[in-house]
Amino acid sequence: MEQIKVTIFQAYLFWENAEKNLQNLSLRLSGLREKTDLIILPEMFNTGFTMNVEACSETMSGPTMHWMFDLSKKFECVVAGSLIIEEDGRYYNRFVWMSPDGTFVHYDKRHLFSMAKENEKFTAGASRVVLNIKGWRICPMVCYDLRFPVWSRNENDAYDLLVYTANWPDKRSAHWRALIPARAIENQAFVIGVNRVGHDGNENYYSGGSMCISPAGDVVYYKPEDEDLYTFTLNPKDLIETRENLPFLHDQDKFTII
């Protein structure tokens, strides 16, 4: 494992306006001067968290995928975030991991937010994925997945970094601030949560609070309220020392997800 640099963009999102969102993201990211390995964007970064799937979905060959590829190629890094994808008549809240060579991997959100009737519009994913940058094993999740620790469990030492991309409203921000450190400590992994800011079309307010927590529970980065583009470095030494000093992952319960 080598050190990796991660850039998160806690963005203001324009409601159901992919063109405007991509323009704003491009403009803000153009100020990125520091070399990075990974850029992470919020959940549904091109539309906001909408159930208007018929109007806001794209295909895997649509304009947002092309935009992600162009951005990845420009900065020579992975670009990641979720968007609404239509495939064979079904809709997915799909986390896309785009590489500079144009190859990509995806993860479909497993836990659909029933209180917003996401489960009535979208098809849930059935499997996790683990990706790799410079020897770091990275497991992506989407928003509501954060509430389900069994799905996120670092069973058999599967990953080193857990990533949640989200539209997490301010009225439940205390849960966000509690659960992300919990996932880091219980799984002995770095955890990054990338949220958005501003109001959406349903008058939900998002106060950001994007953060990175170390395996020991220390705050690497935390930003409430404002739009923010920030790059930080993750050191494998911090991960290895935490796991060696308190190796409790070896004693975890064995289970099967049905």
Side-chain angles (χ1 to χ4, degrees):
M1 296 173 70
E2 303 175 44
Q3 288 187 350
I4 57 169
K5 287 192 174 183
V6 180
T7 300
I8 70 170
F9 186 17
Q10 178 170 278
Y12 177 87
L13 301 181
F14 298 92
W15 186 244
E16 297 183 355
N17 192 330
E19 182 178 1
K20 196 169 183 179
N21 280 314
L22 297 185
Q23 287 176 350
N24 179 56
L25 291 165
S26 295
L27 178 63
R28 292 299 308 275
L29 287 164
S30 67
L32 182 61
R33 297 289 181 261
E34 190 172 359
K35 175 64 178 174
T36 190
D37 298 299
L38 171 63
I39 296 172
I40 310 174
L41 306 173
E43 177 185 24
M44 295 192 189
F45 64 85
N46 63 339
T47 60
F49 187 68
T50 176
M51 298 301 105
N52 187 8
V53 295
E54 293 83 2
C56 294
S57 63
E58 297 184 17
T59 67
M60 292 298 281
S61 59
T64 299
M65 289 291 290
H66 286 284
W67 177 87
M68 293 182 77
F69 170 51
D70 289 341
L71 191 70
S72 178
K73 187 167 58 173
K74 175 182 178 180
F75 290 107
E76 299 181 326
C77 71
V78 171
V79 175
S82 94
L83 64 155
I84 305 172
I85 291 293
E86 184 276 325
E87 198 169 74
D88 298 325
R90 295 185 175 186
Y91 299 96
Y92 299 89
N93 187 342
R94 179 164 289 178
F95 181 104
V96 174
W97 177 274
M98 178 66 72
S99 298
D101 62 1
T103 60
F104 55 84
V105 181
H106 73 263
Y107 160 76
D108 292 328
K109 185 177 181 182
R110 170 67 172 175
H111 298 93
L112 302 176
F113 189 51
S114 57
M115 284 178 279
K117 299 184 177 180
E118 187 181 15
N119 59 315
E120 297 179 13
K121 294 285 189 175
F122 291 83
T123 298
S127 60
R128 295 191 335 189
V129 299
V130 176
L131 306 153
N132 194 290
I133 293 179
K134 293 183 174 179
W136 287 76
R137 297 162 302 163
I138 303 170
C139 182
M141 300 274 171
V142 180
C143 202
Y144 196 41
D145 287 331
L146 177 61
R147 290 191 180 274
F148 302 92
V150 171
W151 184 245
S152 305
R153 189 64 174 156
N154 196 5
E155 192 177 19
N156 298 320
D157 186 25
Y159 60 79
D160 308 304
L161 169 60
L162 189 58
V163 172
Y164 292 94
T165 183
N167 274 212
W168 196 284
D170 176 69
K171 58 189 173 183
R172 290 185 288 276
S173 61
H175 302 182
W176 172 263
R177 293 193 303 271
L179 292 173
I180 290 179
R183 297 294 163 266
I185 294 166
E186 71 194 9
N187 292 301
Q188 291 195 313
F190 282 94
V191 177
I192 295 174
V194 181
N195 200 15
R196 60 157 295 181
V197 293
H199 289 86
D200 69 13
N202 295 316
E203 290 306 309
N204 293 307
Y205 175 64
Y206 301 85
S207 57
S210 296
M211 70 180 82
C212 176
I213 305 295
S214 80
D218 298 322
V219 177
V220 177
Y221 166 79
Y222 174 66
K223 181 66 176 180
E225 300 299 340
D226 302 318
E227 193 172 59
D228 194 40
L229 178 68
Y230 191 79
T231 300
F232 50 86
T233 301
L234 300 184
N235 192 329
K237 177 174 174 285
D238 299 327
L239 178 78
I240 294 165
E241 285 185 352
T242 299
R243 291 178 174 177
E244 287 181 347
N245 291 338
L246 190 62
F248 63 76
L249 286 180
H250 301 301
D251 300 324
Q252 65 180 290
D253 300 309
K254 302 300 180 185
F255 59 87
T256 301
I257 297 176
I258 300 174

